[in-house]
Amino acid sequence: MNLIHQQGTMLSGHEFTELFNKALSQTEKIMLWYHERSGEYTAEEIQKNVLPGTLLTSVRRSMTDLFKSGYLVKGTKVMGSYGVHVYTYKKA
């Protein structure tokens, strides 16, 4: 059953996927990224790969929220692109 359009015009699989992905929140997109992969990523990497065009500060806020909730844990510190050491995060 198509959850977005239960009645009326049905969407193709591709159309449904696009609409579903647009409906996901920024935090949910980050959670999905970590759920589908293993490894450690910085906020800059998440911004580049998951949320292009999103402000880096917004990505950092979402990752901090996921860290505080226990979904992510801090990994190693690496040099960020702005010359400042930043943490990587991985799924708990």
Side-chain angles (χ1 to χ4, degrees):
M1 175 170 50
N2 192 324
L3 299 176
I4 293 176
H5 290 281
Q6 293 182 7
Q7 297 176 348
T9 305
M10 298 301 288
L11 301 173
S12 70
H14 177 71
E15 291 170 325
F16 177 80
T17 301
E18 282 189 22
L19 188 57
F20 181 78
N21 286 338
K22 285 182 182 179
L24 288 176
S25 74
Q26 179 174 296
T27 302
E28 290 168 329
K29 288 178 182 179
I30 295 170
M31 290 175 71
L32 185 60
W33 171 268
Y34 277 101
H35 178 73
E36 294 175 343
R37 291 162 183 79
S38 61
E40 299 181 14
Y41 303 94
T42 66
E44 292 173 356
E45 292 170 317
I46 295 297
Q47 178 194 33
K48 178 181 174 187
N49 295 302
V50 183
L51 300 161
T54 303
L55 292 173
L56 182 57
T57 53
S58 294
V59 176
R60 286 183 178 141
R61 185 196 67 243
S62 289
M63 292 179 73
T64 298
D65 291 345
L66 289 170
F67 169 72
K68 288 180 178 179
S69 75
Y71 188 82
L72 296 178
V73 294
K74 287 184 180 178
T76 58
K77 260 191 166 179
V78 297
M79 182 62 71
S81 62
Y82 296 104
V84 178
H85 284 93
V86 295
Y87 278 104
T88 60
Y89 289 86
K90 58 186 175 182
K91 188 175 174 192

